[in-house]
Amino acid sequence: QAAKAAQEIMATYESMKSEVRQYMFKIQELDADRNEHSLVVNTIKDLDPKRRCFRLIGGVLVERTIEEVLPAVRKNLEGIHAMIQKLTEVLKKKQEELDAYQEKYDIKPARQLDQRVKAAEERERKGAPSAKSGGVLA
């Protein structure tokens, strides 16, 4: 019974952790899009508004003028920025929920346990010499 409950707790924890990772990945993806849109805006903003340019819309390359494209790219940039802010807020809440769940059930991530074990081993090594160390006291 207890083992089953522990498995359920860990399954829920892993699911929550996966959700946090997905939000982080999506934010990184949108940040790359934002950088790309910013680069385009900064590149074409000072060019002649009547100049031809090409824009990829739904996999189709469309010929337009800069005066047609620039407002659309700026609007997309603003939308991406807003979405990043919204997802960052959601990510923060999800991370807090994960941390609270971890605290409630005293879940120690593997790397945290590894660090504690290594620290204990280090203290042990620096402490009293063991029989294996072959240390000589004079």
Side-chain angles (χ1 to χ4, degrees):
Q1 190 79 5
K4 188 174 184 180
Q7 286 178 343
E8 288 175 9
I9 289 169
M10 286 308 295
T12 302
Y13 174 72
E14 290 299 326
S15 173
M16 293 171 77
K17 209 163 78 169
S18 174
E19 191 176 3
V20 166
R21 268 191 240 111
Q22 288 174 351
Y23 278 106
M24 291 172 73
F25 178 74
K26 188 62 178 175
I27 289 170
Q28 289 173 344
E29 189 178 295
L30 286 171
D31 193 45
D33 286 348
R34 179 178 59 183
N35 290 338
E36 195 172 302
H37 278 70
S38 293
L39 179 66
V40 170
V41 167
N42 290 334
T43 301
I44 68 173
K45 69 182 179 188
D46 296 327
L47 298 176
D48 176 21
K50 300 294 181 194
R51 184 174 173 169
R52 290 185 321 160
C53 65
F54 295 88
R55 181 171 182 215
L56 191 64
I57 302 175
V60 178
L61 197 59
V62 181
E63 182 178 342
R64 298 277 188 255
T65 62
I66 289 178
E67 67 184 348
E68 294 171 318
V69 170
L70 190 56
V73 174
R74 283 186 171 144
K75 184 177 180 186
N76 285 351
L77 181 60
E78 290 170 10
I80 292 169
H81 184 69
M83 183 59 75
I84 289 172
Q85 286 180 325
K86 190 182 294 185
L87 287 176
T88 300
E89 290 172 15
V90 172
L91 174 63
K92 185 178 177 184
K93 288 178 187 172
K94 293 290 182 183
Q95 184 64 52
E96 288 170 357
E97 289 173 11
L98 179 65
D99 292 343
Y101 192 83
Q102 188 175 337
E103 184 75 25
K104 179 179 178 181
Y105 292 103
D106 196 31
I107 299 171
K108 305 282 189 262
R111 69 172 180 263
Q112 189 178 1
L113 284 176
D114 288 346
Q115 290 172 351
R116 287 182 180 182
V117 168
K118 286 179 184 176
E121 289 173 350
E122 187 68 26
R123 281 193 303 272
E124 203 173 291
R125 233 180 318 140
K126 288 183 178 181
S130 67
K132 293 180 182 176
S133 71
V136 177
L137 294 175

